[in-house]
Amino acid sequence: MHFEKIEGFGNLEMGYISDFSGGFISRNTHVLKRLELNRFTQFLLEKCVHGTPIFKLGEGNNKILMLSGIHGNELPPQIANVRLLNDLLFMDLNTTVYVIPFAAPKATMNNERVFNGMDLNRSSHIKNSLSNLIVESAHDLGINFVGDFHSTAYNSNPGIESVFSSKSPSPESYLMANYISKSMGSEVISFDYAGSSYKGAVEDVCNLKRIPAVTCEVLSPFAAVGEGSVDRSYWQMLSFLEYFGI
Ligand SMILES: [Zn+2]
């Protein structure tokens, strides 16, 4: 993947995961009205029209990925991740931080869970699916930890603020989940072996590739933004970063 230095925003670099997933995020009014529309955010929204951008900040041996928008209608983590990116722009980071705030801009634009009819968290094991391209890019970039941020509604699955992880074959997944749980109070949901209950979750496919990963969930209605949910998601992200000493 080709990364380009972006002038005017510190040491920011940007590349594209794909060029077939673009969308007008600003058409999703729930998202638009909660974004701080500064120069960087406007730049980001323009880039999302053409595909799925990935941003790179900092420099260090640990390379981590902050991912959101795998489900386009789970809005709080996507808004929180834009806030996080804005915060990290001019920071001196001892870790290489990759950020994908909108995994599927088209799905976010349409406020839909699926992208072109596909659940991206059940298809990342399928070659050349959008989420497979994300996992493969993470692997190629040498990313060694992944946080995938979602939201969940009451009476859905899991329906509680939680962190998914597994103990094998990437045991650090479980350690990261426990760290976030301890600082946030989010419930740990853990499986003995990644991907044993269903196939194709980004977290599981990463763990199976020996890239320790967690899926963080906050409570919010789907296709809307529950009160306090953006803050909860943002704090889960900070806790994930804190695990790596950021
Ligand atoms: Zn989700």
Side-chain angles (χ1 to χ4, degrees):
M1 185 187 306
H2 172 71
F3 274 83
E4 215 177 296
K5 172 119 177 59
I6 307 297
E7 296 299 327
F9 300 114
N11 294 318
L12 184 71
E13 294 178 40
M14 194 199 91
Y16 273 108
I17 298 287
S18 80
D19 60 4
F20 57 82
S21 48
F24 295 89
I25 302 287
S26 57
R27 288 194 193 154
N28 188 324
T29 53
H30 299 279
V31 175
L32 184 66
K33 71 180 177 198
R34 286 172 179 88
L35 293 178
E36 188 199 327
L37 285 179
N38 57 29
R39 203 166 53 90
F40 173 71
T41 306
Q42 293 193 21
F43 165 83
L44 163 61
L45 297 189
E46 279 165 31
K47 293 300 169 188
C48 287
V49 174
H50 310 288
T52 300
I54 177 170
F55 296 93
K56 181 188 177 201
L57 292 148
E59 203 69 66
N61 292 334
N62 274 338
K63 296 181 178 181
I64 67 176
L65 171 63
M66 313 290 293
L67 173 64
S68 53
I70 282 291
H71 290 137
N73 67 345
E74 297 176 5
L75 308 179
Q78 301 180 68
I79 298 162
N81 215 359
V82 175
R83 196 207 285 186
L84 184 77
L85 244 181
N86 270 287
D87 289 350
L88 296 179
L89 275 183
F90 296 100
M91 272 177 65
D92 213 5
L93 297 165
N94 58 1
T95 300
T96 310
V97 181
Y98 290 91
V99 183
I100 301 177
F102 300 104
K106 184 183 169 190
T108 304
M109 168 177 77
N110 295 335
N111 220 353
E112 285 178 342
R113 176 181 175 89
V114 295
F115 167 71
N116 289 350
M118 193 178 250
D119 186 332
L120 296 179
N121 220 24
R122 299 291 182 275
S123 57
S124 60
H125 60 313
I126 299 170
K127 198 169 165 45
N128 290 331
S129 73
L130 179 54
S131 48
N132 181 252
L133 294 177
I134 291 173
V135 171
E136 289 302 326
S137 301
H139 181 258
D140 293 346
L141 290 166
I143 286 169
N144 34 23
F145 300 97
V146 172
D148 185 17
F149 296 85
H150 289 242
S151 60
T152 178
Y154 286 108
N155 301 320
S156 74
N157 183 23
I160 51 167
E161 185 181 296
S162 50
V163 188
F164 282 88
S165 68
S166 53
K167 291 176 182 162
S168 186
S170 295
E172 198 159 358
S173 162
Y174 184 62
L175 300 180
M176 296 191 298
N178 275 284
Y179 184 88
I180 296 166
S181 170
K182 216 172 162 191
S183 69
M184 287 289 300
S186 315
E187 196 80 34
V188 173
I189 300 174
S190 176
F191 296 89
D192 286 337
Y193 199 84
S196 48
S197 58
Y198 50 82
K199 299 273 170 251
V202 170
E203 170 215 334
D204 289 329
V205 174
C206 287
N207 279 321
L208 291 170
K209 283 183 176 290
R210 309 297 197 274
I211 305 172
V214 289
T215 305
C216 298
E217 303 266 5
V218 295
L219 266 180
S220 172
F222 292 120
V225 179
E227 202 187 325
S229 59
V230 175
D231 284 341
R232 296 295 297 174
S233 186
Y234 178 75
W235 294 334
Q236 281 182 333
M237 290 171 181
L238 291 187
S239 175
F240 181 78
L241 292 176
E242 198 181 71
Y243 178 86
F244 301 99
I246 301 173

